[in-house]
Amino acid sequence: LYFSAQEGILIFYHIKDLQYEIKICADISQPISSLIFSPDYTSLLLVTDQGAVYSYRPAHSGEAVKLLDTSSSCFLAADFLTPGNNYCVSVTVSGEVQVWSLEDGTFLSKLNLGIEVHVI
């Protein structure tokens, strides 16, 4: 079970029977608005409401790596663009959909929906 504290700390609870273990996985120092697993569960996207997206690989137990920072106050959400784990899509409240490379955070393309978005 993964969850985030308000301070931007990613925490893992390993629960087995009536026992549990708590592990702090990463501290990104920004409130995390959503956690999204990749389709194959090898990567976890940590998304902040300030427009930053981090990648955390549970099997590697390393730090979260900042993939992109849209620095947008109207940033709404991000998710994996499937199939695969190579790209993510982000959306702003104003309806701009952006595609990013998860390998190096390169901006690839965008599409303006022309409507205000409330959820992705």
Side-chain angles (χ1 to χ4, degrees):
L1 174 65
Y2 285 91
F3 72 93
S4 172
Q6 186 172 358
E7 301 83 18
I9 299 171
L10 178 65
I11 299 171
F12 173 67
Y13 267 87
H14 181 215
I15 303 167
K16 185 175 180 181
D17 299 322
L18 297 176
Q19 304 293 318
Y20 67 91
E21 177 185 345
I22 300 172
K23 177 184 175 189
I24 295 177
C25 300
D27 181 357
I28 62 170
S29 302
Q30 292 182 40
I32 298 170
S33 58
S34 62
L35 303 171
I36 305 109
F37 264 105
S38 62
D40 64 1
Y41 295 99
T42 59
S43 296
L44 183 63
L45 287 184
L46 315 175
V47 182
T48 73
D49 57 4
Q50 297 167 352
V53 177
Y54 293 79
S55 174
Y56 177 77
R57 293 180 167 265
H60 295 89
S61 298
E63 284 295 310
V65 176
K66 185 185 271 188
L67 297 174
L68 59 107
D69 191 347
T70 64
S71 300
S72 172
S73 60
C74 59
F75 178 82
L76 183 64
D79 201 348
F80 285 92
L81 188 59
T82 57
N85 302 327
N86 300 325
Y87 305 99
C88 81
V89 61
S90 64
V91 67
T92 63
V93 172
S94 63
E96 184 173 276
V97 178
Q98 303 163 331
V99 178
W100 306 86
S101 167
L102 290 175
E103 185 174 308
D104 58 6
T106 303
F107 171 76
L108 299 173
S109 66
K110 68 180 177 179
L111 169 68
N112 193 331
L113 301 175
I115 58 169
E116 189 173 297
V117 176
H118 295 278
V119 68
I120 183 173

